[in-house]
Amino acid sequence: SLTNTEHLLVKQLAVGYHYPVLSNIEFSIKGGQKVVITGFNGIGKSTLLKTLIGEIPSMQGHFKFSDQVTIGYFEQDFEWKEPELTPIQIVANAYPNMVTKDVRKHLARCGISSKHAMQSIGTLSGGEQAKVKMCLLTLTPCNFLIMDEPTNHLDVQAKEALKTALSTFAGTVLLVSHEEAFYRDWAQRVVSIEKK
């Protein structure tokens, strides 16, 4: 069983690009735990996540994911390599073995209308794009979700759907959010990060 094993250990970590924006970060997360990181805007929460997923090197200290962890990462910015592709094409490219009917079914389940599923992603609203991102994420076999303010572009319905998805997700969740109403009901732990 994966529960109660430590999925992530962070020790005296300092993160930043040229100089540390945050330092002495310490926390650990057990398998299956739902953890939210809060803190002022611009304090370096995104930088922390980018360090944890290996996008930028840590400046000090260390962190370690358990060997059992498979990370799924949901970033704040919507950058599509090919913005002219439709959601159907994007999901089909990511999962070439999936038949079109199933691709459509998954998109519909994530709240994407059949009309939007056939429009190029670059023309869709932020909320619709977020739903496509979520859809890709729910198809990814991962047991540790890392999300950077996923509610930013979402409408009320999409937020509710995401809330349900996260609270029923069997794996571990590490989420940066400033929206208490969104995580209050299901987060088991809130780590508040402050400038030291």
Side-chain angles (χ1 to χ4, degrees):
S1 108
L2 288 182
T3 44
N4 291 334
T5 55
E6 217 158 59
H7 263 189
L8 171 63
L9 178 65
V10 178
K11 270 248 178 260
Q12 299 197 319
L13 185 65
V15 300
Y17 287 90
H18 304 293
Y19 57 92
V21 285
L22 287 172
S23 44
N24 288 328
I25 306 168
E26 299 217 353
F27 61 88
S28 71
I29 298 180
K30 288 189 168 63
Q33 228 181 1
K34 314 278 190 271
V35 179
V36 173
I37 292 181
T38 63
F40 294 112
N41 259 345
I43 197 170
K45 301 183 299 291
S46 299
T47 312
L48 169 61
L49 293 193
K50 288 194 163 116
T51 306
L52 293 177
I53 62 161
E55 209 172 280
I56 54 177
S58 63
M59 303 196 83
Q60 243 175 310
H62 68 275
F63 63 90
K64 189 182 185 318
F65 284 97
S66 127
D67 296 338
Q68 301 155 321
V69 165
T70 315
I71 296 173
Y73 175 58
F74 183 108
E75 55 193 313
Q76 204 176 10
D77 316 311
F78 297 121
E79 282 171 21
W80 303 95
K81 287 188 191 74
E82 302 170 278
E84 70 282 355
L85 294 183
T86 68
I88 291 176
Q89 291 169 315
I90 290 170
V91 174
N93 289 350
Y95 299 94
N97 300 335
M98 199 186 287
V99 296
T100 310
K101 198 180 81 190
D102 286 340
V103 170
R104 286 174 185 273
K105 213 186 296 176
H106 271 287
L107 287 166
R109 207 174 291 153
C110 295
I112 296 140
S113 69
S114 47
K115 189 182 108 201
H116 285 148
M118 295 186 289
Q119 268 175 259
S120 51
I121 191 118
T123 65
L124 298 179
S125 72
E128 295 299 320
Q129 292 187 36
K131 288 177 194 170
V132 177
K133 272 258 162 91
M134 267 312 293
C135 201
L136 286 168
L137 210 48
T138 52
L139 289 168
T140 313
C142 68
N143 60 6
F144 196 124
L145 266 186
I146 296 182
M147 312 186 89
D148 191 2
E149 306 220 0
T151 57
N152 266 4
H153 303 275
L154 299 186
D155 58 28
V156 178
Q157 267 176 314
K159 270 182 204 175
E160 281 304 311
L162 178 56
K163 203 192 269 192
T164 308
L166 291 175
S167 49
T168 55
F169 180 65
T172 312
V173 177
L174 175 61
L175 173 92
V176 164
S177 178
H178 57 268
E179 210 175 320
E180 203 204 329
F182 174 71
Y183 61 76
R184 194 191 299 129
D185 304 334
W186 56 268
Q188 292 156 336
R189 204 166 130 224
V190 177
V191 178
S192 176
I193 289 188
E194 283 150 28
K195 279 265 197 285
K196 293 216 167 60

PDB file of all heavy atoms in Angstrom, residues 60-87:
ATOM      1  N   GLN A  60      19.614  25.332  -2.899  1.00  0.00           N
ATOM      2  CA  GLN A  60      20.152  24.871  -1.617  1.00  0.00           C
ATOM      3  C   GLN A  60      19.240  23.796  -1.086  1.00  0.00           C
ATOM      4  O   GLN A  60      18.084  23.722  -1.496  1.00  0.00           O
ATOM      5  CB  GLN A  60      20.099  26.011  -0.600  1.00  0.00           C
ATOM      6  CG  GLN A  60      21.404  26.503  -0.071  1.00  0.00           C
ATOM      7  CD  GLN A  60      21.123  27.706   0.829  1.00  0.00           C
ATOM      8  OE1 GLN A  60      20.421  28.629   0.434  1.00  0.00           O
ATOM      9  NE2 GLN A  60      21.650  27.682   2.039  1.00  0.00           N
ATOM     10  N   GLY A  61      19.765  23.002  -0.139  1.00  0.00           N
ATOM     11  CA  GLY A  61      18.920  21.992   0.476  1.00  0.00           C
ATOM     12  C   GLY A  61      18.572  20.903  -0.520  1.00  0.00           C
ATOM     13  O   GLY A  61      19.172  20.811  -1.586  1.00  0.00           O
ATOM     14  N   HIS A  62      17.591  20.079  -0.202  1.00  0.00           N
ATOM     15  CA  HIS A  62      17.235  19.018  -1.142  1.00  0.00           C
ATOM     16  C   HIS A  62      15.798  18.573  -0.967  1.00  0.00           C
ATOM     17  O   HIS A  62      15.132  18.918   0.003  1.00  0.00           O
ATOM     18  CB  HIS A  62      18.184  17.829  -1.001  1.00  0.00           C
ATOM     19  CG  HIS A  62      18.036  17.106   0.300  1.00  0.00           C
ATOM     20  ND1 HIS A  62      18.678  17.499   1.449  1.00  0.00           N
ATOM     21  CD2 HIS A  62      17.298  16.023   0.648  1.00  0.00           C
ATOM     22  CE1 HIS A  62      18.355  16.694   2.435  1.00  0.00           C
ATOM     23  NE2 HIS A  62      17.509  15.784   1.988  1.00  0.00           N
ATOM     24  N   PHE A  63      15.331  17.814  -1.938  1.00  0.00           N
ATOM     25  CA  PHE A  63      14.003  17.225  -1.860  1.00  0.00           C
ATOM     26  C   PHE A  63      14.070  15.879  -2.546  1.00  0.00           C
ATOM     27  O   PHE A  63      14.918  15.656  -3.411  1.00  0.00           O
ATOM     28  CB  PHE A  63      12.950  18.122  -2.528  1.00  0.00           C
ATOM     29  CG  PHE A  63      13.151  18.320  -4.002  1.00  0.00           C
ATOM     30  CD1 PHE A  63      12.573  17.461  -4.923  1.00  0.00           C
ATOM     31  CD2 PHE A  63      13.937  19.369  -4.468  1.00  0.00           C
ATOM     32  CE1 PHE A  63      12.762  17.637  -6.282  1.00  0.00           C
ATOM     33  CE2 PHE A  63      14.125  19.557  -5.829  1.00  0.00           C
ATOM     34  CZ  PHE A  63      13.547  18.691  -6.738  1.00  0.00           C
ATOM     35  N   LYS A  64      13.203  14.972  -2.145  1.00  0.00           N
ATOM     36  CA  LYS A  64      13.220  13.647  -2.744  1.00  0.00           C
ATOM     37  C   LYS A  64      11.808  13.091  -2.844  1.00  0.00           C
ATOM     38  O   LYS A  64      11.066  13.093  -1.873  1.00  0.00           O
ATOM     39  CB  LYS A  64      14.076  12.720  -1.885  1.00  0.00           C
ATOM     40  CG  LYS A  64      14.328  11.370  -2.529  1.00  0.00           C
ATOM     41  CD  LYS A  64      15.131  10.451  -1.627  1.00  0.00           C
ATOM     42  CE  LYS A  64      15.482   9.138  -2.331  1.00  0.00           C
ATOM     43  NZ  LYS A  64      14.397   8.558  -3.128  1.00  0.00           N
ATOM     44  N   PHE A  65      11.464  12.663  -4.048  1.00  0.00           N
ATOM     45  CA  PHE A  65      10.202  11.948  -4.251  1.00  0.00           C
ATOM     46  C   PHE A  65      10.470  10.469  -4.051  1.00  0.00           C
ATOM     47  O   PHE A  65      11.546   9.977  -4.389  1.00  0.00           O
ATOM     48  CB  PHE A  65       9.696  12.153  -5.685  1.00  0.00           C
ATOM     49  CG  PHE A  65       9.078  13.496  -5.933  1.00  0.00           C
ATOM     50  CD1 PHE A  65       9.817  14.517  -6.507  1.00  0.00           C
ATOM     51  CD2 PHE A  65       7.752  13.739  -5.595  1.00  0.00           C
ATOM     52  CE1 PHE A  65       9.256  15.764  -6.742  1.00  0.00           C
ATOM     53  CE2 PHE A  65       7.178  14.980  -5.826  1.00  0.00           C
ATOM     54  CZ  PHE A  65       7.929  15.994  -6.401  1.00  0.00           C
ATOM     55  N   SER A  66       9.478   9.758  -3.539  1.00  0.00           N
ATOM     56  CA  SER A  66       9.625   8.311  -3.407  1.00  0.00           C
ATOM     57  C   SER A  66       9.677   7.680  -4.802  1.00  0.00           C
ATOM     58  O   SER A  66       9.175   8.246  -5.776  1.00  0.00           O
ATOM     59  CB  SER A  66       8.457   7.751  -2.594  1.00  0.00           C
ATOM     60  OG  SER A  66       7.825   6.714  -3.288  1.00  0.00           O
ATOM     61  N   ASP A  67      10.274   6.516  -4.894  1.00  0.00           N
ATOM     62  CA  ASP A  67      10.418   5.837  -6.186  1.00  0.00           C
ATOM     63  C   ASP A  67       9.073   5.448  -6.775  1.00  0.00           C
ATOM     64  O   ASP A  67       8.960   5.184  -7.965  1.00  0.00           O
ATOM     65  CB  ASP A  67      11.253   4.557  -6.022  1.00  0.00           C
ATOM     66  CG  ASP A  67      12.671   4.866  -5.587  1.00  0.00           C
ATOM     67  OD1 ASP A  67      13.123   6.016  -5.822  1.00  0.00           O
ATOM     68  OD2 ASP A  67      13.323   3.992  -4.991  1.00  0.00           O
ATOM     69  N   GLN A  68       8.054   5.381  -5.922  1.00  0.00           N
ATOM     70  CA  GLN A  68       6.732   4.947  -6.400  1.00  0.00           C
ATOM     71  C   GLN A  68       5.972   6.075  -7.094  1.00  0.00           C
ATOM     72  O   GLN A  68       4.908   5.857  -7.647  1.00  0.00           O
ATOM     73  CB  GLN A  68       5.896   4.465  -5.217  1.00  0.00           C
ATOM     74  CG  GLN A  68       6.538   3.325  -4.460  1.00  0.00           C
ATOM     75  CD  GLN A  68       6.044   3.286  -3.023  1.00  0.00           C
ATOM     76  OE1 GLN A  68       5.856   4.324  -2.380  1.00  0.00           O
ATOM     77  NE2 GLN A  68       5.841   2.083  -2.507  1.00  0.00           N
ATOM     78  N   VAL A  69       6.513   7.289  -7.021  1.00  0.00           N
ATOM     79  CA  VAL A  69       5.767   8.444  -7.498  1.00  0.00           C
ATOM     80  C   VAL A  69       5.846   8.640  -9.013  1.00  0.00           C
ATOM     81  O   VAL A  69       6.912   8.558  -9.601  1.00  0.00           O
ATOM     82  CB  VAL A  69       6.262   9.729  -6.782  1.00  0.00           C
ATOM     83  CG1 VAL A  69       5.777  10.981  -7.490  1.00  0.00           C
ATOM     84  CG2 VAL A  69       5.816   9.728  -5.329  1.00  0.00           C
ATOM     85  N   THR A  70       4.694   8.847  -9.626  1.00  0.00           N
ATOM     86  CA  THR A  70       4.626   9.294 -11.018  1.00  0.00           C
ATOM     87  C   THR A  70       3.907  10.634 -11.005  1.00  0.00           C
ATOM     88  O   THR A  70       2.752  10.725 -10.589  1.00  0.00           O
ATOM     89  CB  THR A  70       3.789   8.323 -11.889  1.00  0.00           C
ATOM     90  OG1 THR A  70       4.192   6.992 -11.572  1.00  0.00           O
ATOM     91  CG2 THR A  70       4.000   8.597 -13.361  1.00  0.00           C
ATOM     92  N   ILE A  71       4.609  11.676 -11.454  1.00  0.00           N
ATOM     93  CA  ILE A  71       4.082  13.033 -11.335  1.00  0.00           C
ATOM     94  C   ILE A  71       3.221  13.438 -12.526  1.00  0.00           C
ATOM     95  O   ILE A  71       3.562  13.166 -13.673  1.00  0.00           O
ATOM     96  CB  ILE A  71       5.246  14.039 -11.212  1.00  0.00           C
ATOM     97  CG1 ILE A  71       6.014  13.784  -9.916  1.00  0.00           C
ATOM     98  CG2 ILE A  71       4.747  15.485 -11.239  1.00  0.00           C
ATOM     99  CD1 ILE A  71       7.267  14.610  -9.782  1.00  0.00           C
ATOM    100  N   GLY A  72       2.118  14.086 -12.233  1.00  0.00           N
ATOM    101  CA  GLY A  72       1.349  14.776 -13.266  1.00  0.00           C
ATOM    102  C   GLY A  72       1.372  16.251 -12.909  1.00  0.00           C
ATOM    103  O   GLY A  72       1.075  16.609 -11.765  1.00  0.00           O
ATOM    104  N   TYR A  73       1.748  17.111 -13.856  1.00  0.00           N
ATOM    105  CA  TYR A  73       1.918  18.531 -13.539  1.00  0.00           C
ATOM    106  C   TYR A  73       0.965  19.389 -14.355  1.00  0.00           C
ATOM    107  O   TYR A  73       0.857  19.236 -15.573  1.00  0.00           O
ATOM    108  CB  TYR A  73       3.364  18.932 -13.815  1.00  0.00           C
ATOM    109  CG  TYR A  73       3.671  20.411 -13.644  1.00  0.00           C
ATOM    110  CD1 TYR A  73       3.446  21.056 -12.432  1.00  0.00           C
ATOM    111  CD2 TYR A  73       4.211  21.154 -14.693  1.00  0.00           C
ATOM    112  CE1 TYR A  73       3.734  22.406 -12.263  1.00  0.00           C
ATOM    113  CE2 TYR A  73       4.505  22.503 -14.534  1.00  0.00           C
ATOM    114  CZ  TYR A  73       4.263  23.130 -13.325  1.00  0.00           C
ATOM    115  OH  TYR A  73       4.540  24.455 -13.175  1.00  0.00           O
ATOM    116  N   PHE A  74       0.267  20.283 -13.689  1.00  0.00           N
ATOM    117  CA  PHE A  74      -0.685  21.175 -14.339  1.00  0.00           C
ATOM    118  C   PHE A  74      -0.164  22.586 -14.133  1.00  0.00           C
ATOM    119  O   PHE A  74      -0.159  23.075 -13.016  1.00  0.00           O
ATOM    120  CB  PHE A  74      -2.045  21.015 -13.655  1.00  0.00           C
ATOM    121  CG  PHE A  74      -3.172  21.826 -14.260  1.00  0.00           C
ATOM    122  CD1 PHE A  74      -4.177  21.196 -14.975  1.00  0.00           C
ATOM    123  CD2 PHE A  74      -3.253  23.197 -14.080  1.00  0.00           C
ATOM    124  CE1 PHE A  74      -5.244  21.928 -15.499  1.00  0.00           C
ATOM    125  CE2 PHE A  74      -4.313  23.938 -14.607  1.00  0.00           C
ATOM    126  CZ  PHE A  74      -5.304  23.292 -15.320  1.00  0.00           C
ATOM    127  N   GLU A  75       0.331  23.217 -15.197  1.00  0.00           N
ATOM    128  CA  GLU A  75       0.898  24.545 -14.981  1.00  0.00           C
ATOM    129  C   GLU A  75      -0.123  25.635 -15.183  1.00  0.00           C
ATOM    130  O   GLU A  75      -1.189  25.432 -15.748  1.00  0.00           O
ATOM    131  CB  GLU A  75       2.124  24.770 -15.857  1.00  0.00           C
ATOM    132  CG  GLU A  75       1.913  24.561 -17.325  1.00  0.00           C
ATOM    133  CD  GLU A  75       3.244  24.496 -18.051  1.00  0.00           C
ATOM    134  OE1 GLU A  75       4.088  25.365 -17.796  1.00  0.00           O
ATOM    135  OE2 GLU A  75       3.421  23.595 -18.866  1.00  0.00           O
ATOM    136  N   GLN A  76       0.254  26.802 -14.698  1.00  0.00           N
ATOM    137  CA  GLN A  76      -0.646  27.933 -14.679  1.00  0.00           C
ATOM    138  C   GLN A  76      -0.832  28.506 -16.077  1.00  0.00           C
ATOM    139  O   GLN A  76      -1.904  28.950 -16.439  1.00  0.00           O
ATOM    140  CB  GLN A  76      -0.027  28.985 -13.778  1.00  0.00           C
ATOM    141  CG  GLN A  76      -0.998  29.957 -13.186  1.00  0.00           C
ATOM    142  CD  GLN A  76      -0.284  30.887 -12.226  1.00  0.00           C
ATOM    143  OE1 GLN A  76       0.934  30.910 -12.154  1.00  0.00           O
ATOM    144  NE2 GLN A  76      -1.038  31.651 -11.502  1.00  0.00           N
ATOM    145  N   ASP A  77       0.240  28.527 -16.848  1.00  0.00           N
ATOM    146  CA  ASP A  77       0.170  29.180 -18.153  1.00  0.00           C
ATOM    147  C   ASP A  77      -0.280  28.186 -19.196  1.00  0.00           C
ATOM    148  O   ASP A  77       0.124  27.037 -19.181  1.00  0.00           O
ATOM    149  CB  ASP A  77       1.540  29.726 -18.542  1.00  0.00           C
ATOM    150  CG  ASP A  77       2.207  30.420 -17.378  1.00  0.00           C
ATOM    151  OD1 ASP A  77       1.537  31.245 -16.748  1.00  0.00           O
ATOM    152  OD2 ASP A  77       3.371  30.106 -17.086  1.00  0.00           O
ATOM    153  N   PHE A  78      -1.115  28.660 -20.090  1.00  0.00           N
ATOM    154  CA  PHE A  78      -1.536  27.781 -21.170  1.00  0.00           C
ATOM    155  C   PHE A  78      -0.656  28.024 -22.369  1.00  0.00           C
ATOM    156  O   PHE A  78      -0.794  29.009 -23.067  1.00  0.00           O
ATOM    157  CB  PHE A  78      -2.998  28.057 -21.529  1.00  0.00           C
ATOM    158  CG  PHE A  78      -3.912  27.750 -20.397  1.00  0.00           C
ATOM    159  CD1 PHE A  78      -4.730  28.715 -19.861  1.00  0.00           C
ATOM    160  CD2 PHE A  78      -3.927  26.484 -19.839  1.00  0.00           C
ATOM    161  CE1 PHE A  78      -5.561  28.427 -18.791  1.00  0.00           C
ATOM    162  CE2 PHE A  78      -4.755  26.182 -18.765  1.00  0.00           C
ATOM    163  CZ  PHE A  78      -5.568  27.152 -18.256  1.00  0.00           C
ATOM    164  N   GLU A  79       0.285  27.120 -22.557  1.00  0.00           N
ATOM    165  CA  GLU A  79       1.095  27.218 -23.759  1.00  0.00           C
ATOM    166  C   GLU A  79       0.907  25.930 -24.509  1.00  0.00           C
ATOM    167  O   GLU A  79       1.270  24.862 -24.041  1.00  0.00           O
ATOM    168  CB  GLU A  79       2.568  27.433 -23.400  1.00  0.00           C
ATOM    169  CG  GLU A  79       2.838  28.864 -23.000  1.00  0.00           C
ATOM    170  CD  GLU A  79       4.238  29.041 -22.426  1.00  0.00           C
ATOM    171  OE1 GLU A  79       5.104  28.184 -22.705  1.00  0.00           O
ATOM    172  OE2 GLU A  79       4.443  30.017 -21.696  1.00  0.00           O
ATOM    173  N   TRP A  80       0.317  26.038 -25.682  1.00  0.00           N
ATOM    174  CA  TRP A  80       0.118  24.856 -26.510  1.00  0.00           C
ATOM    175  C   TRP A  80       1.161  24.906 -27.606  1.00  0.00           C
ATOM    176  O   TRP A  80       1.345  25.935 -28.244  1.00  0.00           O
ATOM    177  CB  TRP A  80      -1.295  24.851 -27.088  1.00  0.00           C
ATOM    178  CG  TRP A  80      -2.343  24.917 -26.030  1.00  0.00           C
ATOM    179  CD1 TRP A  80      -2.979  26.031 -25.568  1.00  0.00           C
ATOM    180  CD2 TRP A  80      -2.870  23.811 -25.274  1.00  0.00           C
ATOM    181  NE1 TRP A  80      -3.869  25.693 -24.574  1.00  0.00           N
ATOM    182  CE2 TRP A  80      -3.825  24.342 -24.372  1.00  0.00           C
ATOM    183  CE3 TRP A  80      -2.622  22.428 -25.283  1.00  0.00           C
ATOM    184  CZ2 TRP A  80      -4.538  23.531 -23.485  1.00  0.00           C
ATOM    185  CZ3 TRP A  80      -3.331  21.632 -24.391  1.00  0.00           C
ATOM    186  CH2 TRP A  80      -4.273  22.174 -23.513  1.00  0.00           C
ATOM    187  N   LYS A  81       1.851  23.795 -27.827  1.00  0.00           N
ATOM    188  CA  LYS A  81       2.876  23.777 -28.875  1.00  0.00           C
ATOM    189  C   LYS A  81       2.250  24.097 -30.221  1.00  0.00           C
ATOM    190  O   LYS A  81       2.834  24.778 -31.046  1.00  0.00           O
ATOM    191  CB  LYS A  81       3.571  22.405 -28.910  1.00  0.00           C
ATOM    192  CG  LYS A  81       4.499  22.203 -27.735  1.00  0.00           C
ATOM    193  CD  LYS A  81       5.319  20.919 -27.902  1.00  0.00           C
ATOM    194  CE  LYS A  81       6.042  20.556 -26.616  1.00  0.00           C
ATOM    195  NZ  LYS A  81       5.135  20.013 -25.565  1.00  0.00           N
ATOM    196  N   GLU A  82       1.038  23.581 -30.441  1.00  0.00           N
ATOM    197  CA  GLU A  82       0.356  23.831 -31.710  1.00  0.00           C
ATOM    198  C   GLU A  82      -1.056  24.334 -31.433  1.00  0.00           C
ATOM    199  O   GLU A  82      -2.002  23.550 -31.424  1.00  0.00           O
ATOM    200  CB  GLU A  82       0.313  22.547 -32.540  1.00  0.00           C
ATOM    201  CG  GLU A  82       1.701  21.972 -32.816  1.00  0.00           C
ATOM    202  CD  GLU A  82       1.638  20.588 -33.419  1.00  0.00           C
ATOM    203  OE1 GLU A  82       1.474  19.625 -32.644  1.00  0.00           O
ATOM    204  OE2 GLU A  82       1.727  20.475 -34.657  1.00  0.00           O
ATOM    205  N   PRO A  83      -1.202  25.649 -31.242  1.00  0.00           N
ATOM    206  CA  PRO A  83      -2.502  26.222 -30.857  1.00  0.00           C
ATOM    207  C   PRO A  83      -3.586  26.037 -31.915  1.00  0.00           C
ATOM    208  O   PRO A  83      -4.760  26.227 -31.642  1.00  0.00           O
ATOM    209  CB  PRO A  83      -2.196  27.707 -30.650  1.00  0.00           C
ATOM    210  CG  PRO A  83      -0.871  27.952 -31.249  1.00  0.00           C
ATOM    211  CD  PRO A  83      -0.136  26.667 -31.285  1.00  0.00           C
ATOM    212  N   GLU A  84      -3.194  25.629 -33.114  1.00  0.00           N
ATOM    213  CA  GLU A  84      -4.207  25.464 -34.174  1.00  0.00           C
ATOM    214  C   GLU A  84      -4.897  24.097 -34.102  1.00  0.00           C
ATOM    215  O   GLU A  84      -5.910  23.870 -34.761  1.00  0.00           O
ATOM    216  CB  GLU A  84      -3.583  25.703 -35.563  1.00  0.00           C
ATOM    217  CG  GLU A  84      -2.593  24.630 -36.039  1.00  0.00           C
ATOM    218  CD  GLU A  84      -1.209  24.742 -35.386  1.00  0.00           C
ATOM    219  OE1 GLU A  84      -0.960  25.709 -34.628  1.00  0.00           O
ATOM    220  OE2 GLU A  84      -0.371  23.846 -35.617  1.00  0.00           O
ATOM    221  N   LEU A  85      -4.356  23.197 -33.294  1.00  0.00           N
ATOM    222  CA  LEU A  85      -4.987  21.874 -33.178  1.00  0.00           C
ATOM    223  C   LEU A  85      -6.268  21.948 -32.345  1.00  0.00           C
ATOM    224  O   LEU A  85      -6.410  22.800 -31.477  1.00  0.00           O
ATOM    225  CB  LEU A  85      -4.027  20.880 -32.506  1.00  0.00           C
ATOM    226  CG  LEU A  85      -2.758  20.508 -33.273  1.00  0.00           C
ATOM    227  CD1 LEU A  85      -1.971  19.461 -32.501  1.00  0.00           C
ATOM    228  CD2 LEU A  85      -3.080  19.989 -34.666  1.00  0.00           C
ATOM    229  N   THR A  86      -7.187  21.025 -32.617  1.00  0.00           N
ATOM    230  CA  THR A  86      -8.418  20.956 -31.834  1.00  0.00           C
ATOM    231  C   THR A  86      -8.189  20.065 -30.602  1.00  0.00           C
ATOM    232  O   THR A  86      -7.264  19.245 -30.603  1.00  0.00           O
ATOM    233  CB  THR A  86      -9.558  20.322 -32.662  1.00  0.00           C
ATOM    234  OG1 THR A  86      -9.229  18.940 -32.882  1.00  0.00           O
ATOM    235  CG2 THR A  86      -9.726  21.026 -33.999  1.00  0.00           C
ATOM    236  N   PRO A  87      -9.038  20.200 -29.574  1.00  0.00           N
ATOM    237  CA  PRO A  87      -8.927  19.309 -28.410  1.00  0.00           C
ATOM    238  C   PRO A  87      -8.938  17.835 -28.817  1.00  0.00           C
ATOM    239  O   PRO A  87      -8.199  17.026 -28.245  1.00  0.00           O
ATOM    240  CB  PRO A  87     -10.159  19.669 -27.579  1.00  0.00           C
ATOM    241  CG  PRO A  87     -10.365  21.116 -27.863  1.00  0.00           C
ATOM    242  CD  PRO A  87     -10.024  21.288 -29.323  1.00  0.00           C
TER     243      PRO A  87
END
